[in-house]
């Protein structure tokens, strides 16, 4: 493998949006519908609407930074370019919680669905199958993965559309046309602003990944324009899907009381479409996990590649591309190996600390935009106060609230991970006295 190769620019706006939506996994709104409906007392549509509004502030900040620094690395790159290389390393280290372990969780959930349907097949078989197929597609190249994502995302959207249509048909058959228009999915049954706020904090987890397309900046045509547009489109389209689906399904089942809130969508699927649609819905959930796994592993490998190329991770391993495929093969394989941990873990444990890293990255990207605005202003270059100062400040406050909603285990594990990163950074920078090495933006753009 050569370390002088560059990533190929082949992605356009539609491809980026598809990758971002695949990472979001729109079908997840049904997977966790019961949890949010229970939390909000049946006001799940309001929870998702509030989460969408909140996330748009941070999406704006990612767009500002992607336009200013069109290179791979996402939050890691933006923080080190605007604030400090050492802080950037710690943010990148925290972000690895999300990017490295999220694929593992995705494969674990997919394996869990399949084992539930085929209990005679060991969980390890399904997980290893997910890992091998996903890794091969990502190694062959982003263009191949892009085509697969398009096909699988189309199927996922089709199932969501069927679910909404069947839900509305069920409501129409029971209550007539007037039943299709109700404020109940927004107001809930004996709900409150506090309950809706708590539900929004959970619903915000569904948006994790809208920022992942920033890791494909060096594979995007005209990234300064394309990436910011993609980020906002992913947040708006994904959020719109979440709100519409939550509204329709909440009409079928007002309130937040279920026999099993974790399996509420399966119960509703069987009610509105019979056992056949329930089986199809299960298949769609598995396919959604596979699609999300492709995007998550691809994004994570780009973060490792960016940090390896900068020398903050071993450059000989992570900072190299395959001369044949122009993809970070070793970084992809590293994530695949980490994914094998899923064989001995459960979903609850593996997801407990992922959001800590994601939310910390969100906060620091908002802070980066504020710092960037101040530096540009001192240099005589002026940017819009609303987009570069007001929105990021609101973004920091909103994500700070979401962090406060994380459980103690997530905060504890996330803090331990940060301490480990700080120790590595101290050794690398001789007691924080020097900056970590980096590759200049101009060098990347010239490539």
């Amino acid at each position: 493998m050569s370390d002088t190769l560059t990533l190929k620019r082949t992605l356009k706006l539609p491809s980026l949006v598809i990758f971002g939506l695949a990472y979001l996994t729109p079908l997840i709104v049904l997977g966790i519908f019961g949890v949010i409906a229970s939390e909000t007392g049946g006001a799940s549509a309001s929870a998702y609407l509030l989460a969408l509004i909140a996330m748009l502030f941070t999406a704006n900040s990612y767009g500002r930074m992607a336009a200013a620094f069109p290179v791979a690395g996402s939050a890691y790159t933006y923080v080190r370019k605007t604030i400090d290389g050492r802080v950037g390393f710690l943010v990148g280290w925290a972000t690895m919680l999300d990017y490295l372990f999220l694929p593992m969780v995705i494969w674990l959930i997919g394996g869990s669905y399949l084992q539930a349907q085929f209990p005679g097949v060991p969980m390890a078989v399904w997980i290893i199958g997910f890992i091998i197929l996903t890794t091969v597609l990502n190694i062959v190249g982003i263009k191949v993965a892009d085509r697969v994502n398009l096909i699988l995302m189309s199927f996922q959207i089709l199932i969501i559309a069927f679910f909404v249509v069947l839900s509305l048909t069920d409501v129409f058959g029971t209550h007539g046309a007037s039943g299709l228009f109700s404020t109940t999915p927004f107001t809930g049954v004996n709900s409150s602003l506090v309950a809706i706020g708590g539900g929004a904090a959970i619903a915000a987890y569904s948006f994790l990944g809208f920022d992942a397309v920033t890791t494909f900046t060096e594979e995007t045509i005209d990234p300064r324009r394309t990436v910011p547009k993609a980020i906002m489109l992913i947040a708006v389209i994904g959020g719109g899907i979440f709100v519409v689906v939550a509204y329709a399904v909440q009409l079928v089942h007002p309130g937040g009381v279920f026999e099993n809130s974790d399996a509420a969508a399966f119960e509703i699927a069987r009610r509105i479409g019979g056992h056949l649609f329930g089986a199809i819905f299960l298949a769609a959930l598995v396919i959604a996990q596979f699609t999300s796994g492709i995007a998550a592993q691809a994004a994570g490998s780009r973060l490792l590649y960016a940090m390896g190329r900068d020398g903050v991770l071993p450059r000989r391993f992570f900072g190299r591309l395959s001369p044949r495929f122009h993809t970070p093969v070793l970084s992809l394989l590293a994530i695949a190996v980490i994914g094998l941990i899923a064989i001995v873990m459960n979903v609850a444990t593996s997801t407990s600390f992922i959001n800590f890293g994601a939310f910390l990255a969100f906060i620091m990207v908002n802070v980066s935009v504020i710092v960037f605005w101040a530096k540009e202003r001192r240099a005589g270059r002026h940017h819009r106060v609303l987009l570069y100062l007001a929105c990021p400040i609101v973004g920091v406050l909103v994500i700070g609230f979401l962090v406060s909603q994380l459980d103690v285990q997530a905060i504890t594990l996330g803090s331990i991970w940060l301490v480990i990163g700080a120790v590595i950074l101290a050794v690398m920078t001789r007691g924080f006295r020097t900056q970590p090495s980096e590759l200049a933006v101009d060098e990347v753009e010239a490539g």
Side-chain angles (χ1 to χ4, degrees):
M1 293 186 185
S2 170
D3 55 2
T4 60
L5 297 171
T6 58
L7 296 165
K8 288 184 176 180
R9 296 192 184 276
T10 59
L11 299 178
K12 297 181 181 179
L13 182 61
S15 296
L16 279 184
V17 172
I18 290 295
F19 261 102
L21 291 175
Y23 203 116
L24 252 63
T25 316
L27 209 59
I28 196 64
V29 63
L30 291 169
I32 64 173
F33 167 77
V35 176
I36 295 178
S38 297
E39 178 73 21
T40 61
S44 60
S46 279
Y48 271 110
L49 182 60
L50 182 58
L52 169 60
I53 294 171
M55 283 298 158
L56 287 178
F57 291 103
T58 296
N60 165 73
S61 291
Y62 269 94
R64 298 308 105 205
M65 289 290 90
F69 305 107
V71 292
S74 193
Y76 154 73
T77 295
Y78 306 150
V79 173
R80 76 175 299 158
K81 295 294 183 184
T82 57
I83 300 175
D84 183 84
R86 289 157 292 197
V87 179
F89 172 85
L90 289 176
V91 170
W93 181 261
T95 305
M96 283 201 296
L97 279 173
D98 183 9
Y99 283 91
L100 284 185
F101 292 97
L102 183 58
M104 179 195 73
V105 176
I106 290 169
W107 294 324
L108 174 58
I109 294 173
S112 299
Y113 288 147
L114 286 168
Q115 191 187 42
Q117 186 70 13
F118 306 101
V121 180
M123 170 80 80
V125 173
W126 297 119
I127 291 174
I128 292 172
F130 268 116
I131 292 173
I132 291 175
L133 189 54
T134 303
T135 302
V136 168
L137 285 172
N138 274 321
I139 285 176
V140 169
I142 202 71
K143 205 164 187 178
V144 175
D146 174 30
R147 291 168 184 162
V148 173
N149 259 336
L150 177 60
I151 295 171
L152 297 183
M153 271 300 298
S154 298
F155 177 69
Q156 188 178 159
I157 296 298
L158 184 63
I159 294 299
I160 292 173
F162 269 123
F163 207 109
V164 170
V165 170
L166 288 172
S167 295
L168 296 178
T169 301
D170 182 82
V171 173
F172 181 81
T174 305
H175 303 288
S178 61
L180 300 177
F181 304 95
S182 173
T183 59
T184 302
F186 292 98
T187 59
V189 178
N190 298 321
S191 187
S192 67
L193 288 176
V194 174
I196 292 173
I202 299 173
Y205 300 161
S206 301
F207 288 84
L208 297 185
F210 74 86
D211 59 306
V213 293
T214 59
T215 62
F216 299 112
T217 299
E218 292 172 44
E219 292 158 277
T220 300
I221 298 170
D222 192 13
R224 291 185 186 273
R225 292 177 179 270
T226 305
V227 174
K229 288 180 182 178
I231 292 170
M232 294 302 293
L233 281 173
I234 292 162
V236 171
I237 294 173
I241 291 172
F242 296 154
V243 173
V244 169
V245 173
Y247 176 84
V249 180
Q250 199 76 81
L251 285 177
V252 175
H253 188 111
V257 179
F258 305 92
E259 289 184 16
N260 180 1
S261 60
D262 291 336
F266 286 108
E267 297 173 15
I268 295 171
R270 286 193 293 265
R271 170 181 164 181
I272 63 177
H275 290 287
L276 176 60
F277 182 69
I280 294 173
F281 176 63
L282 175 63
L285 278 175
V286 173
I287 290 174
Q289 293 305 118
F290 177 66
T291 309
S292 181
I294 293 175
Q297 186 188 30
S301 70
R302 270 60 179 181
L303 173 65
L304 292 179
Y305 169 67
M307 296 183 75
R309 185 181 58 192
D310 285 357
V312 296
L313 291 178
R315 183 179 281 117
R316 287 182 176 275
F317 189 93
F318 294 105
R320 309 179 74 182
L321 299 175
S322 162
R324 180 177 179 183
F325 300 113
H326 287 254
T327 53
V329 172
L330 294 178
S331 294
L332 287 165
L333 292 176
I335 294 176
V337 171
I338 291 172
L340 293 173
I341 300 173
I343 295 173
V344 295
M345 295 191 72
N346 58 59
V347 175
T349 302
S350 60
T351 57
S352 63
F353 59 97
I354 286 176
N355 294 311
F356 178 90
F359 287 157
L360 180 61
F362 288 176
I363 288 174
M364 292 308 299
V365 170
N366 280 304
V367 172
S368 294
V369 176
I370 297 170
V371 173
F372 177 78
W373 174 81
K375 286 183 176 180
E376 289 283 283
R377 187 177 178 84
R378 286 196 296 269
R381 294 183 291 271
H382 298 279
H383 300 279
R384 283 178 283 183
V385 173
L386 176 63
L387 296 180
Y388 285 82
L389 184 61
C391 285
I393 289 175
V394 175
V396 169
L397 295 175
V398 169
I399 303 302
F401 165 75
L402 296 180
V403 171
S404 72
Q405 302 302 302
L406 292 173
D407 60 35
V408 174
Q409 184 182 27
I411 295 174
T412 301
L413 290 173
S415 298
I416 291 172
W417 178 263
L418 263 186
V419 170
I420 294 172
V423 171
I424 294 173
L425 178 63
V427 173
M428 184 190 309
T429 59
R430 300 175 184 177
F432 307 109
R433 290 194 297 270
T434 62
Q435 292 283 348
S437 61
E438 71 172 303
L439 185 70
V441 174
D442 292 340
E443 183 181 338
V444 176
E445 292 185 297

